[in-house]
Amino acid sequence: MIVRELELDLDAFEGPFDLLLALVLKEELELCDVDLAGIVTAFLERLAEREELDLDACGEFLVLIAALLELKARALFPDETAELAELEPEEAAEELARRLAEYRRAKEAAAWLRERLAAEGDRYFRLGPSPLAPKVETPLAPQHPGALAEVLRVLAQDPPDVSLSHMALRFPPVSQFLERFRALLGRRSRFDFEAEVAELTRLEQASAFLALLELRRAGELAIEQAAPFAPIRVTRTPQENTLREERTAAWTVRSA
Amino acid sequence: MDRPLRLIAGNFEGGDPLDQLARTLEALLVVASAPLSVEELAAAADHDAELVEEALRLVADRFAEERSGIVLEHVAGGWAFRAGRAEAAACARLFERPAQRNLSQAALETVAIVAYLGPCSRPDIARIRGVAADSAVANLLERGLIAEAGRDHGGGGAVRYRTTPLFERIFGLESLSELPRLDDVGSDAAEIRDRLHAVAQQRSA
Amino acid sequence: MDRPLRLIAGNFEGGDPLDQLARTLEALLVVASAPLSVEELAAAADHDAELVEEALRLVADRFAEERSGIVLEHVAGGWAFRAGRAEAAACARLFERPAQRNLSQAALETVAIVAYLGPCSRPDIARIRGVAADSAVANLLERGLIAEAGRDHGGGGAVRYRTTPLFERIFGLESLSELPRLDDVGSDAAEIRDRLHAVAQQRSA
């Protein structure tokens, strides 16, 4: 049995195990989105299909899955791994056990809900108003304008220091900025990066910068910066122009 | 009270097919959110239209004025249940109940952002609130508290929304300039916007 | 077929007040778009809650499984009509896509966490599940199974979510308190803890 060829069918990934490893290492697949337990299950199922215990395969699998688990743990709890490291082993074990138990409880609750949904699936009811019910306007009661000021005040408060929201963090797609910069360079031969991204959030700026690097690697533009922290000048590279025109021409011929 | 009901149930036992079909039609009519035509009923019940019409007469007889609070009615689009006429007053009280007349937190935040910052798009609102704005915007549009006001970036971008005269009336404002001041957040719309963006960024960082 | 029905109707004639109230409740329940609590029914029917409960028993008896295509059930903190279970196949043919009935594992875990913990935010959910909760939360919001419920940390933090009455209705729960207790996993937690202790001891040895 070859561990690397283990076929996986997960929510985030479908294909052989070695491809998943390659994608994770190239950071093309977010490990956070990968269900590692699903990989273990797939491996155990495969193992069970065989008559004898394949110790080599088990060993290789353990090494690989352990590495993935560690990577995932670090990605999910960047600050907390540090916290855990500072804890005494006993405390760290306690904390980890608490978290695992919490997740297990969530899974059990989900399993109960799944059974319930299946058992109650034959209960049909109407969603929405009754066809011949009187049509009613429910006008809002008079509201107090102070409520408007109050909610904005709350929204403008500094968020609490302890934030775990990094786990829910998603980068805006780089592709969006690829398109945007290509379009921009179609109109202008050069632009200032800062000026282009000034309105964006820090995260969007990071994505925009990745897009810039990607386009540079593809030779579509050149980047200049006179000194550290000086404005980044982006210039269209001449051949990009012609290449693009050729591509457009070829497309026109084919579709004509 | 039990006896006559058992009597009926007894009659149904053994499964008179027409009565069985009538029960299926009752079920379909109680889950439908629009009147159902005989054809639709026949397709769902998996029976002939003729038989369905016959069973409908049975249902109509069971659910007739005076006999039941639920009445089967034939309208333009087909068949549907309605409340008995005698129950009009109770139904009116049900629909007039003053519940649900307040704005949800999501709607209140959204309309406050639009009111204080001036025309904003859904992406603007989502960025400040940190969650998708679609349902809150849809809700406010439906209630007529906000309305479309052109598009971002001189016409090519996302649709923007502004508050409506109805909004001003409900909040007891002569105009938007009467909104309570938010000097602790910012002295004008631009400053308030900057502050909200800065906090939203911290929240998501 | 007509006779037993007349029998009932005959019994009701002369206007037994309880039966009159039962008819009013039937009417209210057939036009309502969500389960109605006893209090709501009492207010609309303009009767005592006690009498309403008594009349509800009458309605429940009339609209019971097997007896009628329409069934009265106690769900999501109120009373509502639904189709009889025996008519599920016909109802499925009427609705092309029973949207709420297919939930992914991620969505089920997420809604389970929200149901058990009470209002919680995306970071809370991500912390427990170990993966980002954004798409599961968006999916549940769209299906109407969860809704916004204020923000963390007294208002300024991440948006929190709670389950909706529709969630209870779809899962056939009278209320969230019907969710089973999950303390039986205690032994698992102890076992995990023991294993981790063993590893920790080896490490420090």
Side-chain angles (χ1 to χ4, degrees):
Chain A
M1 171 164 162
I2 302 164
V3 173
R4 285 164 199 280
E5 288 173 3
L6 180 67
E7 274 297 322
L8 299 170
D9 183 6
L10 309 169
D11 278 352
F13 174 83
E14 208 183 317
F17 193 21
D18 61 347
L19 178 58
L20 177 116
L21 287 173
L23 290 176
V24 166
L25 292 175
K26 287 193 331 202
E27 296 183 356
E28 283 173 28
L29 183 65
E30 283 263 22
L31 199 47
C32 300
D33 294 334
V34 178
D35 173 19
L36 293 183
I39 300 179
V40 176
T41 313
F43 176 75
L44 289 177
E45 277 169 5
R46 182 67 60 82
L47 205 60
E49 286 166 9
R50 301 174 63 89
E51 302 265 310
E52 59 193 53
L53 187 60
D54 185 340
L55 281 177
D56 283 345
C58 288
E60 188 189 3
F61 181 77
L62 272 178
V63 170
L64 290 173
I65 199 78
L68 282 180
L69 276 170
E70 184 170 2
L71 273 177
K72 182 170 180 176
R74 279 176 202 274
L76 283 176
F77 302 105
D79 302 333
E80 297 183 24
T81 5
E83 277 172 35
L84 281 176
E86 286 164 19
L87 295 175
E88 290 299 309
E90 294 248 321
E91 292 168 327
E94 202 72 41
E95 175 60 18
L96 277 173
R98 198 189 56 72
R99 279 188 201 165
L100 286 171
E102 197 172 31
Y103 181 50
R104 186 168 292 206
R105 223 172 288 145
K107 284 201 96 119
E108 285 202 7
W112 186 83
L113 285 178
R114 181 185 294 287
E115 276 175 30
R116 184 89 187 181
L117 195 60
E120 302 298 316
D122 57 357
R123 287 171 44 260
Y124 279 82
F125 52 86
R126 192 182 63 232
L127 287 167
S130 161
L132 302 182
K135 295 272 176 293
V136 279
E137 301 275 314
T138 45
L140 275 172
Q143 307 280 315
H144 197 272
L148 296 169
E150 200 39 51
V151 288
L152 279 201
R153 247 182 219 115
V154 169
L155 272 182
Q157 269 168 20
D158 278 316
D161 286 343
V162 192
S163 164
L164 290 164
S165 54
H166 53 269
M167 293 189 301
L169 193 78
R170 278 284 168 279
F171 281 91
V174 172
S175 58
Q176 171 194 329
F177 293 102
L178 288 177
E179 292 310 313
R180 179 161 155 185
F181 289 150
R182 279 199 183 114
L184 193 61
L185 285 175
R187 298 195 299 271
R188 287 196 269 152
S189 61
R190 61 198 301 174
F191 65 86
D192 255 5
F193 180 70
E194 269 81 356
E196 267 319 303
V197 302
E199 304 270 311
L200 304 178
T201 65
R202 215 168 35 160
L203 265 180
E204 288 171 321
Q205 289 180 348
S207 268
F209 191 68
L210 286 174
L212 204 63
L213 293 178
E214 185 65 30
L215 289 171
R216 192 184 116 157
R217 204 173 57 181
E220 293 186 35
L221 50 77
I223 305 175
E224 296 163 38
Q225 190 175 29
F229 303 111
I232 298 173
R233 248 326 132 63
V234 181
T235 324
R236 179 172 62 201
T237 45
Q239 71 269 30
E240 145 66 6
N241 211 6
T242 48
L243 256 181
R244 191 174 256 239
E245 271 165 19
E246 279 167 22
R247 225 182 289 145
T248 320
W251 176 246
T252 321
V253 171
R254 230 178 293 146
S255 58
Chain B
M1 203 72 275
D2 261 350
R3 227 167 337 119
L5 285 164
R6 286 236 189 84
L7 233 166
I8 300 188
N11 262 14
F12 295 169
E13 262 164 25
D16 172 348
L18 196 61
D19 187 69
Q20 172 54 50
L21 179 54
R23 273 192 292 206
T24 304
L25 299 183
E26 289 167 13
L28 291 169
L29 290 164
V30 90
V31 299
S33 45
L36 296 172
S37 65
V38 170
E39 291 70 36
E40 286 169 313
L41 286 166
D46 202 15
H47 266 286
D48 288 351
E50 266 177 52
L51 213 59
V52 165
E53 287 193 17
E54 208 174 322
L56 271 172
R57 277 194 288 276
L58 213 63
V59 179
D61 196 39
R62 255 178 234 176
F63 296 98
E65 286 292 356
E66 308 292 307
R67 190 169 289 174
S68 152
I70 305 171
V71 173
L72 182 67
E73 170 96 17
H74 190 217
V75 291
W79 296 87
F81 283 134
R82 63 167 169 81
R85 285 189 224 291
E87 319 305 340
C91 292
R93 280 193 292 270
L94 179 71
F95 284 103
E96 275 164 18
R97 81 204 133 112
Q100 300 167 336
R101 298 254 179 108
N102 269 323
L103 289 171
S104 68
Q105 174 78 8
L108 196 61
E109 284 180 10
T110 303
V111 77
I113 290 167
V114 176
Y116 274 93
L117 302 188
C120 317
S121 65
R122 267 184 284 197
D124 282 344
I125 299 162
R127 203 204 287 182
I128 292 173
R129 296 196 57 233
V131 290
D134 302 29
S135 71
V137 166
N139 179 286
L140 291 167
L141 277 171
E142 200 187 299
R143 288 171 180 270
L145 296 182
I146 60 171
E148 290 193 12
R151 286 176 178 273
D152 268 352
H153 309 299
V159 174
R160 288 170 155 185
Y161 301 91
R162 57 167 175 76
T163 52
T164 60
L166 177 65
F167 162 82
E168 289 169 22
R169 207 157 61 235
I170 294 227
F171 280 86
L173 302 164
E174 295 269 316
S175 77
L176 287 182
S177 62
E178 271 188 28
L179 283 168
R181 296 200 52 87
L182 272 175
D183 291 323
D184 44 331
V185 178
S187 59
D188 60 12
E191 267 189 47
I192 296 172
R193 179 188 295 263
D194 287 349
R195 172 68 192 157
L196 290 174
H197 278 171
V199 174
Q201 203 166 307
Q202 281 181 53
R203 214 184 285 128
S204 69
Chain C
M1 204 69 280
D2 262 349
R3 229 165 338 115
L5 286 164
R6 287 236 188 82
L7 232 164
I8 301 187
N11 261 14
F12 296 167
E13 262 163 26
D16 173 350
L18 197 62
D19 188 70
Q20 173 54 46
L21 178 54
R23 275 196 296 231
T24 304
L25 299 184
E26 289 168 11
L28 291 170
L29 290 164
V30 86
V31 296
S33 46
L36 297 172
S37 68
V38 170
E39 292 69 34
E40 288 170 311
L41 286 167
D46 202 14
H47 266 286
D48 287 352
E50 266 178 52
L51 212 61
V52 164
E53 286 191 16
E54 209 173 320
L56 271 171
R57 277 194 288 277
L58 216 63
V59 180
D61 198 37
R62 255 177 236 174
F63 295 96
E65 253 351 311
E66 309 287 307
R67 191 168 288 171
S68 154
I70 304 171
V71 170
L72 180 69
E73 69 174 354
H74 188 217
V75 73
W79 294 88
F81 280 138
R82 62 166 168 83
R85 287 182 193 260
E87 317 304 339
C91 293
R93 282 192 290 269
L94 186 66
F95 296 114
E96 281 170 20
R97 258 181 333 136
Q100 275 75 19
R101 290 163 202 271
N102 238 329
L103 287 173
S104 69
Q105 178 66 18
L108 273 172
E109 284 179 20
T110 302
V111 79
I113 290 168
V114 177
Y116 272 90
L117 290 193
C120 56
S121 64
R122 277 181 293 182
D124 291 336
I125 299 161
R127 191 188 158 92
I128 293 177
R129 292 196 50 234
V131 296
D134 300 27
S135 71
V137 165
N139 181 287
L140 292 167
L141 276 171
E142 203 188 327
R143 291 166 184 253
L145 297 181
I146 62 173
E148 284 190 30
R151 287 176 180 272
D152 266 350
H153 306 289
V159 167
R160 288 172 158 182
Y161 302 93
R162 57 168 172 76
T163 53
T164 58
L166 180 63
F167 161 79
E168 289 170 40
R169 204 167 179 202
I170 286 185
F171 284 85
L173 301 168
E174 288 190 15
S175 78
L176 288 184
S177 62
E178 228 191 295
L179 291 170
R181 288 177 58 91
L182 289 175
D183 42 10
D184 49 330
V185 293
S187 56
D188 285 332
E191 192 190 310
I192 296 168
R193 194 177 305 127
D194 290 347
R195 280 213 305 270
L196 288 167
H197 275 314
V199 173
Q201 269 160 14
Q202 278 179 16
R203 258 251 196 100
S204 56

